[in-house]
Amino acid sequence: METEINTQELGEKIVRVLKSIYDPEIPVDIYELGLIYDVMVNTDYDVKILMTLTTPNCPVAESLPKEVEDKVKTLDAVKDCEVEITFDPPWTQDLMSEEAKLELGML
């Protein structure tokens, strides 16, 4: 009998990993910044993350997606992780969580 994937539990673990990754220019994690648009997990435990960057010429455009991929792959349940960068819709400060805005003195 196949074990049911607890995608919610795995999703929460992935979010915890994402909250450990910071934008080097802003002292807030990429999840609270609103850079993560979607996290998808399929039945093979392959994870696909759709994310954006604060700007297309962000200094970490090369390293940040790789860091996200590598850190998510450290989770035991994850078989593979693919990170796709999109600028549609472009990131704006409106995507930031209240916590991030508070941290940056914007509230």
Side-chain angles (χ1 to χ4, degrees):
M1 184 169 150
E2 269 191 55
T3 55
E4 184 70 25
I5 293 185
N6 187 337
T7 48
Q8 186 179 350
E9 189 181 303
L10 184 55
E12 287 168 7
K13 286 180 181 172
I14 292 168
V15 166
R16 275 200 295 276
V17 168
L18 296 173
K19 285 185 169 192
S20 74
I21 303 170
Y22 286 76
D23 183 301
E25 298 181 322
I26 307 168
V28 174
D29 69 75
I30 62 173
Y31 190 82
E32 297 296 340
L33 271 179
L35 298 182
I36 305 298
Y37 286 168
D38 203 357
V39 175
M40 296 152 277
V41 181
N42 72 13
T43 50
D44 292 328
Y45 295 94
D46 291 329
V47 177
K48 183 170 184 185
I49 296 175
L50 185 63
M51 68 176 287
T52 193
L53 301 167
T54 49
T55 62
N57 52 3
C58 176
V60 291
E62 296 294 313
S63 62
L64 195 59
K66 177 91 179 95
E67 183 181 354
V68 169
E69 210 170 275
D70 291 347
K71 285 196 173 169
V72 170
K73 281 182 187 173
T74 65
L75 292 170
D76 291 340
V78 174
K79 203 168 82 183
D80 198 16
C81 178
E82 177 193 341
V83 174
E84 185 181 322
I85 298 290
T86 184
F87 291 103
D88 181 28
W91 180 84
T92 66
Q93 292 181 346
D94 294 341
L95 295 170
M96 290 165 53
S97 70
E98 296 287 306
E99 189 181 307
K101 290 177 181 171
L102 198 62
E103 180 79 28
L104 298 173
M106 297 167 65
L107 284 180

